[in-house]
Amino acid sequence: DFISSIPISTTKMMKFVAVVFMVVAASAIVMADVDNEFTMQFKGQCVSDGTQCEAKGNSQVIKMTIDPSDAIDFGVSTVIGSYADIRSVVDPNKTDNTYSEFGNMTFGTHLIRNHTLYFNTLGNSGRKEYISEDGGEYVFSMTAKIDGGTGAFDGAQGMMSITGYGVDADTSVFTEYVSVVTNTDLTALKKMMNKS
């Protein structure tokens, strides 16, 4: 066979294979460089016996580092910019602390909010656990399907996950972390919108 008849040393062949591997890996990284995910911290409150919820997340920078002794340093700092708002309806199942939830997340300023994501848990995928003896402190999590949107998120499909905590069940004030992955390439959209 032609390849085996070429006089190439094993070292040169290994270098060639390594170079080909690096080129393929680099092109895969470039192709995978799609900006379609984000995570934000929101602070909010539920009213009407915990069934109507609203939370706001300002433009922010989230920083998490693990030092050599495995200690975690986590922080969220607000920066100048627009904000996101989540409004949802929660249907709690009080017998097992699960819940379903649907709503929307809007993005913009207090005057213009043209970008929206719609979400729905499609069942009781939410769960709330009380973690203090008096029942005041709690943690919660849920996953939801993203099924459409407006503006930059027109036609969006994807998933959303929320984890959070509250320190007073009576006031239903909470902090949550929302992670979103959609089929919307946010970098491409930003470039397209800046051209118009």
Side-chain angles (χ1 to χ4, degrees):
D1 119 42
F2 176 73
I3 300 289
S4 60
S5 67
I6 299 174
I8 297 179
S9 72
T10 305
T11 305
K12 286 183 181 179
M13 180 59 87
M14 289 174 63
K15 286 180 182 177
F16 175 77
V17 170
V19 168
V20 168
F21 176 78
M22 290 187 327
V23 169
V24 170
S27 63
I29 290 170
V30 169
M31 290 188 303
D33 191 21
V34 176
D35 187 12
N36 64 348
E37 61 190 354
F38 60 89
T39 297
M40 289 183 71
Q41 180 192 69
F42 286 79
K43 294 183 182 274
Q45 182 172 17
C46 296
V47 296
S48 300
D49 199 24
T51 61
Q52 306 286 321
C53 300
E54 184 173 355
K56 179 180 178 182
N58 293 314
S59 292
Q60 58 195 243
V61 174
I62 296 176
K63 180 183 175 188
M64 202 286 288
T65 56
I66 303 171
D67 71 20
S69 66
D70 295 333
I72 294 173
D73 183 21
F74 179 80
V76 178
S77 51
T78 301
V79 294
I80 295 173
S82 298
Y83 67 94
D85 188 62
I86 297 176
R87 294 174 189 232
S88 63
V89 175
V90 176
D91 184 12
N93 180 342
K94 298 191 182 204
T95 59
D96 66 358
N97 291 338
T98 62
Y99 61 91
S100 63
E101 184 173 1
F102 69 89
N104 64 60
M105 182 187 307
T106 60
F107 302 83
T109 67
H110 65 286
L111 298 174
I112 300 172
R113 304 196 65 71
N114 293 332
H115 310 291
T116 306
L117 284 170
Y118 300 107
F119 65 89
N120 187 338
T121 58
L122 304 175
N124 285 356
S125 73
R127 183 157 188 87
K128 185 175 187 178
E129 289 291 329
Y130 295 92
I131 58 172
S132 62
E133 289 184 22
D134 65 1
E137 294 180 52
Y138 60 94
V139 293
F140 59 92
S141 69
M142 73 88 153
T143 57
K145 181 178 186 220
I146 294 170
D147 195 16
T150 64
F153 297 104
D154 186 35
Q157 297 290 314
M159 293 296 289
M160 167 192 291
S161 66
I162 295 178
T163 57
Y165 64 92
V167 294
D168 186 350
D170 292 333
T171 63
S172 294
V173 173
F174 60 85
T175 299
E176 65 186 6
Y177 296 88
V178 178
S179 295
V180 172
V181 179
T182 72
N183 60 340
T184 306
D185 184 348
L186 302 174
T187 301
L189 271 170
K190 191 178 348 176
K191 289 176 183 174
M192 183 180 70
M193 291 175 155
N194 287 337
K195 287 182 182 177
S196 29

